[in-house]
Amino acid sequence: GAPLKQEGITVGTKVCGDAQLVDRDAATFFRQDALQRMGHYVPQLLKCVEGTSCEHRDLPLGLASQLAFLGAISGDGSPLKSNVLPIVMHGQGVRMAARLGDALSLLVQPGGIWEAERVLFVFAGDLSENLPAVQADLCDAKTAETVSYAGVPQIASYFDDLLHGKAREGCPGPAAA
């Protein structure tokens, strides 16, 4: 049968392989300090080896295109050069996402490698994966509208419904698949 996909995260050059883009110090801090401080709450750090599910060619198309864009604008003199810490969640779930969020917060808290920096966290996901194109476009537009204009409680309710397979305005969410 098909190989089982491991759940966990990959970090830094294990995600994109672009050593010029990745903040190696932040990747090292994240793996060695932040994750160790979390103890048994840490998301599993996957080791990427040939034939595993976290190879570069297996990245979601949306992420691969974003990495190409970031790489293109991070040339010499770019503020992005060596200032990006890509992280990919393999699998999805509220528990792993919350633990990853806690680990990311350690990067910017006192003692964190980015404590004195202005940091932008960018998160991406594809809740409309494997839907017909028309329905995927509708769901993507509804999700963008919700996160752009709703308050935190409404956004949380929207995603909770999607995660539990409750259709929201024609969008079934990943649990319904």
Side-chain angles (χ1 to χ4, degrees):
L4 293 175
K5 298 268 187 180
Q6 286 186 317
E7 289 198 357
I9 62 171
T10 51
V11 178
T13 57
K14 301 289 188 205
V15 172
C16 63
D18 186 349
Q20 292 184 348
L21 186 63
V22 174
D23 182 334
R24 289 180 177 272
D25 292 335
T28 299
F29 176 88
F30 187 80
R31 281 192 302 274
Q32 294 179 357
D33 189 28
L35 294 182
Q36 285 182 357
R37 282 200 265 171
M38 292 188 62
H40 66 280
Y41 290 105
V42 68
Q44 181 181 358
L45 189 61
L46 300 179
K47 293 181 171 42
C48 293
V49 295
E50 192 65 33
T52 65
S53 64
C54 55
E55 293 177 30
H56 177 61
R57 68 178 175 270
D58 290 335
L59 288 177
L61 181 59
L63 178 58
S65 64
Q66 294 303 318
L67 288 173
F69 174 74
L70 288 173
I73 64 173
S74 66
D76 292 333
S78 168
L80 288 179
K81 188 170 185 167
S82 300
N83 283 316
V84 174
L85 179 60
I87 299 174
V88 171
M89 283 178 46
H90 300 271
Q92 61 186 14
V94 173
R95 180 177 293 144
M96 185 177 11
R99 289 177 177 180
L100 178 56
D102 290 343
L104 289 172
S105 73
L106 295 174
L107 292 166
V108 295
Q109 291 179 0
I113 190 133
W114 290 336
E115 172 184 8
E117 304 293 328
R118 292 177 50 188
V119 175
L120 171 66
F121 289 101
V122 177
F123 300 92
D126 189 358
L127 296 175
S128 59
E129 185 177 23
N130 298 325
L131 291 177
V134 172
Q135 189 176 19
D137 290 345
L138 171 76
C139 293
D140 290 345
K142 179 60 187 163
T143 300
E145 177 185 328
T146 300
V147 299
S148 297
Y149 298 110
V152 172
Q154 293 85 9
I155 294 169
S157 175
Y158 176 80
F159 283 108
D160 186 60
D161 284 352
L162 289 177
L163 288 170
H164 289 97
K166 298 176 187 171
R168 291 289 301 246
E169 299 181 40
C171 301

